[in-house]
Amino acid sequence: MTETTTLRAFAPSANVAFLKESATIAVSARARALKAQGRKVIDLGAGEPDFDTPEFIRRAGQKAIDSGATKYTATEGILPLREAIAAQTNARWSGDDKIVAQEVVVSNGSKQSLFNACFALFGEGDEVLIPTPSWTSYYEMVALSKAKPVSVIGDPANGLKATAAFLDAASTPRTKGIMLNSPCNPTGAVYSTDELREILALAEERDWWVLSDEIYRRISFDGPAASVLDLSTRRDRLVVIDGVAKAYAMTGWRIGWTIAPRAVSAAMGAFQSHTTSNAAAVSQHAALEAIVNVDAAEKAITHMVAQFKARRDAVVKAARVAPGLNFVYPEGAFYLYANVATERGGDGTAFAAALLEKHDVAIVPGAAFFTPDWVRLSYAAPSEHVITGVERLVELYQSYGG
Ligand code: GLU
């Protein structure tokens, strides 16, 4: 007699039942799967620099392995790294209360830093304003913290950026904080100093927490992008999130950090001590070299940003071939955000699916960023792929009568 075992269904807990897999991650996974089947897919999905980590940083990582950096470190990160981050950041901060190592917590990428900050600051009954479109994971991180993410759709006439007035209109007495990100993922828009100042002034007046994700700050093409630390007069409600992934081409090393008031940093450190402990020791040493070897780092960053800028120019030129195609002029990061909705082709989700399945180009549907008519194309990929990708996007858009 044979016994058949029926698998019992898994019912996810309420903690995660609402979660969908990150669309930015899912698109690249799908592109990889199609490539494994032999399809020549051009992956312009995830935002990941195609450059190798600069050699001087790789060497530091290798040296760290050989010199025994293979054990646990302090949960918040090795002291020299936290001190180096504090020193680097103090160059932007003019207040008397200089940033100290105790206000820096190093985590497994700025993604974990963002989550830890949300989890430490927000909870049941709180509302958090998210300029929209924004990076897909902000909404889920706020929801995982049991707070309510409130989308604030940006101004279509101004790079889809949210203004202080828009944020004010969307706020309620339950508003506890806002998420800022300039240069912005997914649009590439950069907030001017005046725009940021107005938002910071409103936040200060309302006693909101400002979480400023500055991971793309160094990748700005038409002048420097401001940090909130350049513009704020106080930082007792400020959390700056940064990391080495994008500017130093170190995505896989997973090193990000927060700069936050001591009590917040202590809470995030305690939380991290129960979840992941320290970020990888080897990666911390490599990140330390990236930060302290300023000359080599500046040379590498200048080179990579020049390449991104050349691609930005090429992408914009190729996109302008379709006069009806509405896109945000990208001033930073490495994304083109375009409204591809047409009557014949449908919304951004249908468009992205058609572009991948029929034309072998992977991009991210704008639904992931709460703007379903749009799509995001990452130009952190070899130039020839980027150009072919935009050309196919434009052709598909025009084939739908756009
Ligand atoms: N942040 C990048 C993106 O938006 C990398 C993938 C992810 O972590 O979302 O594509």
Side-chain angles (χ1 to χ4, degrees):
M1 202 173 93
T2 53
E3 259 181 46
T4 44
T5 313
T6 37
L7 293 179
R8 285 166 294 175
F10 152 69
S13 76
N15 294 330
V16 295
F18 63 91
L19 275 184
K20 283 201 268 337
E21 185 191 5
S22 158
T24 49
I25 305 276
V27 164
S28 284
R30 174 84 185 129
R32 263 197 299 273
L34 289 174
K35 275 189 206 167
Q37 291 167 18
R39 289 257 302 267
K40 286 200 167 55
V41 171
I42 295 178
D43 185 4
L44 306 179
E48 171 165 39
D50 52 314
F51 304 109
D52 278 341
T53 299
E55 196 186 340
F56 76 98
I57 303 173
R58 298 201 309 268
R59 295 273 166 273
Q62 287 159 353
K63 213 170 122 205
I65 295 176
D66 292 338
S67 49
T70 54
K71 306 263 194 275
Y72 293 138
T73 72
T75 295
E76 302 81 2
I78 55 173
L79 191 59
L81 176 58
R82 295 163 74 208
E83 284 173 344
I85 292 166
Q88 185 196 52
T89 314
N90 273 322
R92 323 195 67 80
W93 173 244
S94 54
D96 295 333
D97 54 334
K98 289 290 163 222
I99 297 156
V100 292
Q102 289 73 14
E103 294 170 304
V104 180
V105 177
V106 176
S107 299
N108 297 282
S110 62
K111 203 170 199 168
Q112 189 188 18
S113 301
L114 277 155
F115 175 72
N116 286 359
C118 288
F119 208 70
L121 293 172
F122 308 131
E124 194 92 49
D126 294 334
E127 294 178 2
V128 180
L129 303 179
I130 307 184
T132 296
S134 266
W135 179 48
T136 187
S137 295
Y138 293 163
Y139 306 88
E140 305 288 25
M141 287 173 179
V142 169
L144 280 167
S145 308
K146 307 264 187 284
K148 181 177 164 200
V150 177
S151 291
V152 183
I153 297 286
D155 182 357
N158 187 28
L160 290 172
K161 290 185 270 187
T163 61
F166 287 18
L167 293 163
D168 188 13
S171 69
T172 74
R174 288 179 299 284
T175 304
K176 185 86 184 283
I178 55 174
M179 310 288 283
L180 293 182
N181 176 222
S182 172
C184 172
N185 174 7
T187 61
V190 175
Y191 282 71
S192 72
T193 50
D194 284 349
E195 288 163 345
L196 276 180
R197 264 201 194 95
E198 274 182 34
I199 294 172
L200 291 169
L202 176 72
E204 188 174 325
E205 183 196 305
R206 303 290 169 81
D207 201 22
W208 295 338
W209 283 97
V210 174
L211 273 60
S212 181
D213 175 359
E214 305 195 349
I215 193 71
Y216 295 100
R217 191 175 51 76
R218 296 299 310 270
I219 307 172
S220 173
F221 309 128
D222 307 311
S227 162
V228 291
L229 290 168
D230 298 325
L231 309 172
S232 301
T233 50
R234 49 194 299 175
R235 54 185 187 83
D236 52 348
R237 288 287 179 272
L238 210 59
V239 180
V240 174
I241 298 98
D242 206 340
V244 289
K246 309 292 186 186
Y248 300 86
M250 290 179 70
T251 45
W253 298 79
R254 309 310 299 136
I255 295 292
W257 57 81
T258 47
I259 293 153
R262 262 175 210 248
V264 179
S265 297
M268 284 191 288
F271 175 59
Q272 189 166 299
S273 78
H274 290 293
T275 51
T276 60
S277 294
N278 60 278
V282 171
S283 299
Q284 293 190 56
H285 285 276
L288 175 62
E289 180 66 13
I291 292 171
V292 296
N293 195 339
V294 177
D295 290 345
E298 287 308 309
K299 212 167 134 206
I301 293 172
T302 305
H303 170 74
M304 290 188 277
V305 172
Q307 302 288 311
F308 287 137
K309 183 175 187 203
R311 293 177 199 171
R312 186 275 308 262
D313 293 343
V315 159
V316 165
K317 193 167 162 219
R320 282 188 175 144
V321 167
L325 183 65
N326 177 14
F327 61 88
V328 176
Y329 185 79
E331 298 171 307
F334 32 62
Y335 303 113
L336 178 78
Y337 207 54
N339 184 332
V340 291
T342 53
E343 213 155 277
R344 219 185 301 158
D347 66 2
T349 304
F351 187 94
L355 196 64
L356 178 58
E357 304 304 332
K358 296 195 202 128
H359 304 277
D360 291 331
V361 179
I363 56 173
V364 182
F369 314 105
F370 285 82
T371 37
D373 287 345
W374 298 68
V375 291
R376 187 193 81 175
L377 176 148
S378 162
Y379 51 88
S383 297
E384 60 281 12
H385 289 187
V386 169
I387 297 305
T388 308
V390 184
E391 283 172 357
R392 289 187 196 169
L393 180 149
V394 165
E395 276 164 29
L396 183 62
Y397 178 69
Q398 291 187 315
S399 78
Y400 290 140

